[in-house]
Amino acid sequence: MACTGLGRCKVALWFAVVLDILGLIALLVGIFAKLQREGRDFGDLLIYTGAIVVFVSLIGWVFWYTGNIEISWEELESDYQLKDNRLNRIVRKISRPTYHVVETSQNASQDKMSNGLTVFSWAKTVANCTQ
């Protein structure tokens, strides 16, 4: 029997459900059971632990929910089209030297002195862009 209708990211869903169940069990046992050992009450420990486990399960729920969001390519392109403003020019000015560094480091990975060449080429590119 296959699980259908759960969407994508089933691991995150099961992670969240298991943590919710464990947290709820710990919380209810801490509330209703009389857990004492050598005169000490351990109910509060289970109450706090259960609450923390349920809170951590939110990570799984957020991953599952965001993993199931579907956006069409047309909507994505219309929302994130490049606009020519000052901020975009600054970002392009910064990212071009960084891209050049990555490209240079990939090409220079065969050389033994790739780190020195990469730093030098990045500094040279930044100097050229700022002029």
Side-chain angles (χ1 to χ4, degrees):
M1 178 193 277
C3 292
T4 58
L6 298 177
R8 298 180 297 256
C9 305
K10 291 181 179 120
V11 173
L13 175 68
W14 289 115
F15 173 77
V17 168
V18 167
L19 284 183
D20 276 341
I21 291 170
L22 292 175
L24 187 63
I25 289 171
L27 192 67
L28 293 176
V29 168
I31 292 172
F32 296 114
K34 295 195 185 284
L35 301 172
Q36 291 185 350
R37 182 168 180 129
E38 298 175 8
R40 294 186 179 185
D41 186 26
F42 288 98
D44 289 343
L45 175 70
L46 285 177
I47 291 171
Y48 291 129
T49 303
I52 290 171
V53 169
V54 169
F55 180 74
V56 170
S57 76
L58 287 174
I59 296 170
W61 288 113
V62 167
F63 281 155
W64 178 72
Y65 182 76
T66 56
N68 285 312
I69 294 175
E70 294 183 13
I71 300 174
S72 67
W73 282 107
E74 293 82 19
E75 184 179 355
L76 190 63
E77 288 173 351
S78 68
D79 286 345
Y80 295 104
Q81 61 184 338
L82 287 177
K83 297 178 177 106
D84 194 29
N85 59 22
R86 188 173 184 183
L87 180 63
N88 281 338
R89 284 183 296 221
I90 292 170
V91 169
R92 276 190 237 117
K93 193 174 193 178
I94 293 170
S95 66
R96 282 183 183 148
T98 307
Y99 176 74
H100 181 67
V101 169
V102 172
E103 188 177 76
T104 304
S105 66
Q106 288 174 350
N107 293 339
S109 63
Q110 296 169 356
D111 290 345
K112 292 183 180 178
M113 297 181 60
S114 64
N115 290 337
L117 292 174
T118 304
V119 171
F120 178 72
S121 65
W122 182 77
K124 185 177 175 183
T125 307
V126 169
N128 290 338
C129 289
T130 56
Q131 293 177 352

